């Protein structure tokens, strides 16, 4: 068990957290990043990033986060591989404790805990997570080489996962509950042009079916929400990409959250209701854009530094 003291504690290591750390280090502030359970944040699961400025060629989310991590290290950012599990914002300096039993005392805090994957909520989905059900095509796509898979969702994440999977699989069934996608035009165009992808509009997944021993997905039953017609699809993998929810449970008793669970920050900045506590990135906005998160991280750090 260790006791850490800092002027600025940054909770989370996605683009927002790292950028906040970079700005704090360059300002000579005694700052610490506690990386969290998924170092690098959600972006490490992104197959392709082509809209982060500064890279003329597309790169994977993992590679982008590796570069940002290295940049932070080179600038002297201190990063602890641990996860904050409890915060106390009633007293000042604030005290947080971690999964490893460490305690962190700090004058200011930037919350950059990001967001987590939403699941469909089917018992069969829970049963087969890690055995054919996944939320990450980049991580698991190669397991389905030559097979048929389904992707659920109609946003950017689902469409990008479907496209990525066509590098490995024979066929992708894209299941969406409505008759239009809410993804960028350029991504939709690639989907419509890809002959390995078959779209099932107005359909939801009723059940994921598989074997017991070994636990393996063998298919899904989908239902047309307009006609109620059911259909069985033979698939070995199911990729759920229906959005995310912000990781804010730990802060609920201290901070104002909106109806989506996002931390409410004051206009023109990243300050929360509690002086000295700031929020940045996906935890306080639903855009899920690395560049926006990075910008928020920079702004939160500048604000924290000026108010220390
Ligand atoms: P999203 O845009 O919220 O899309 C979620 C999709 O899942 C929607 O099509 C939604 O259907 C569907 N859905 C939600 N709950 C469902 C349920 N229970 N059952 C079946 N379908 C369900 O989420 P996202 O795709 O993760 O994207 C989130 C944000 O990140 C967006 O702003 C997106 O542009 C951004 N993003 C950007 C990039 C990029 O720039 N490269 C990559 C990924 C994500 P409805 O449409 O019917 O609600």
């Amino acid at each position: 068990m260790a006791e850490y003291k800092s002027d600025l504690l940054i909770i989370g290591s996605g683009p927002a957290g790292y950028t906040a750390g970079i700005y704090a280090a360059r300002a000579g502030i005694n700052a610490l990043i506690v990386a969290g359970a998924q170092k690098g944040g959600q972006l490490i699961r992104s197959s392709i990033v082509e809209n982060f400025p500064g890279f003329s060629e597309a790169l994977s989310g993992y590679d982008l986060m590796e570069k940002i991590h290295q940049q932070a290290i080179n600038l002297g950012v201190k990063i602890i591989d641990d996860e904050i599990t409890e915060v106390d914002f009633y007293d000042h300096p604030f005290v947080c404790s971690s999964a490893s039993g460490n305690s962190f005392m700090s004058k200011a805090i930037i919350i950059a805990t990001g967001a987590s994957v939403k699941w469909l909520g089917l018992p069969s989905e829970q049963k087969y997570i890690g055995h054919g059900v996944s939320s990450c095509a980049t991580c698991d796509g190669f397991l389905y080489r030559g097979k048929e898979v389904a992707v659920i969702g109609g946003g950017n994440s689902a469409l990008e996962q479907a496209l990525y999977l066509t590098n490995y699989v024979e066929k992708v069934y894209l299941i969406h509950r409505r008759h239009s996608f809410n993804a960028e035009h350029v991504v939709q165009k690639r989907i419509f042009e890809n002959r390995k992808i078959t779209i099932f509009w107005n359909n939801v997944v009723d059940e994921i079916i598989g074997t017991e021993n070994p636990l393996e997905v063998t298919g899904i039953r989908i239902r047309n929400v307009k006609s109620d017609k059911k259909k069985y699809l033979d698939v070995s993998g199911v990729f759920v990409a229906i959005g995310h929810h912000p990781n804010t449970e730990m802060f609920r008793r201290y901070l104002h959250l909106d109806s989506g669970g996002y931390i409410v920050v004051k206009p023109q900045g990243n300050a929360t209701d509690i002086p000295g506590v700031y929020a940045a990135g996906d935890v306080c906005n639903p855009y899920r854009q690395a560049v926006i998160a990075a910008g928020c991280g920079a702004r939160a750090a500048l604000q924290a530094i000026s108010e220390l």
Side-chain angles (χ1 to χ4, degrees):
M1 254 185 62
E3 281 185 17
Y4 295 91
K5 283 189 181 161
S6 59
D7 290 330
L8 177 62
L9 177 70
I10 299 159
I11 309 177
S13 60
Y18 274 137
T19 308
I22 287 168
Y23 273 72
R26 281 172 49 84
I29 298 294
N30 172 21
L32 205 57
I33 294 179
V34 180
Q38 186 171 275
K39 197 171 181 178
Q42 297 167 81
L43 202 63
I44 59 164
R45 294 161 156 256
S46 230
S47 42
I48 183 160
V49 179
E50 53 187 22
N51 52 8
F52 196 90
F55 297 92
S56 54
E57 302 293 328
L59 73 173
S60 73
Y62 183 88
D63 287 345
L64 176 59
M65 288 318 297
E66 275 293 302
K67 286 181 190 296
I68 299 177
H69 171 81
Q70 198 51 53
Q71 183 184 6
I73 297 283
N74 294 349
L75 288 166
V77 179
K78 289 182 221 138
I79 303 163
I80 310 276
D81 287 329
D82 200 350
E83 184 187 4
I84 297 293
T85 48
E86 238 180 281
V87 297
D88 182 352
F89 292 162
Y90 289 139
D91 285 329
H92 194 265
F94 308 113
V95 178
C96 304
S97 42
S98 77
S100 312
N102 297 321
S103 91
F104 297 84
M105 188 180 273
S106 191
K107 291 181 192 159
I109 291 189
I110 295 176
I111 300 168
T113 46
S116 295
V117 164
K118 264 192 205 162
W119 295 101
L120 295 167
L122 300 168
S124 51
E125 171 190 57
Q126 286 304 308
K127 178 173 170 180
Y128 289 106
I129 287 176
H131 302 278
V133 173
S134 169
S135 64
C136 179
T138 324
C139 322
D140 301 328
F142 72 98
L143 297 171
Y144 301 92
R145 202 178 287 276
K147 298 186 174 165
E148 302 197 349
V149 299
V151 174
I152 325 299
N156 260 325
S157 301
L159 272 55
E160 287 187 359
Q161 296 211 28
L163 287 168
Y164 179 78
L165 285 163
T166 59
N167 294 319
Y168 298 100
V169 305
E170 274 302 301
K171 185 150 207 66
V172 176
Y173 297 109
L174 184 53
I175 321 288
H176 181 35
R177 64 181 178 184
R178 289 189 301 112
H179 200 119
S180 62
F181 293 130
N182 56 328
E184 285 171 301
H185 176 74
V186 61
V187 185
Q188 294 198 36
K189 191 164 174 284
R190 286 177 198 157
I191 288 280
F192 296 136
E193 286 169 357
N194 195 312
R195 293 168 68 182
K196 280 191 175 178
I197 298 174
T198 301
I199 304 166
F200 282 94
W201 301 110
N202 300 317
N203 269 275
V204 292
V205 177
D206 266 355
E207 179 105 52
I208 295 167
I209 297 147
T211 54
E212 283 299 325
N213 198 6
L215 270 185
E216 264 174 19
V217 168
T218 52
I220 53 173
R221 194 174 60 244
I222 59 171
R223 177 173 50 86
N224 187 299
V225 291
K226 302 233 162 184
S227 65
D228 215 33
K229 208 171 143 198
K230 295 184 171 66
K231 188 173 174 62
Y232 177 84
L233 296 174
D234 253 327
V235 292
S236 313
V238 181
F239 291 84
V240 180
I242 60 167
H244 293 77
H245 56 80
N247 297 322
T248 49
E249 257 330 289
M250 199 170 30
F251 313 108
R252 186 173 284 281
R253 59 195 281 231
Y254 301 101
L255 301 176
H256 181 197
L257 307 184
D258 71 10
S259 59
Y262 294 90
I263 294 174
V264 176
V265 290
K266 300 208 165 131
Q268 313 298 329
N270 292 73
T272 68
D273 293 339
I274 299 181
V277 178
Y278 309 83
D282 291 5
V283 79
C284 60
N285 77 62
Y287 298 112
R288 291 195 61 244
Q289 296 295 308
V291 67
I292 294 179
C296 283
R299 190 169 65 173
L302 291 173
Q303 206 174 351
I305 292 161
S306 73
E307 291 170 6
L308 264 173

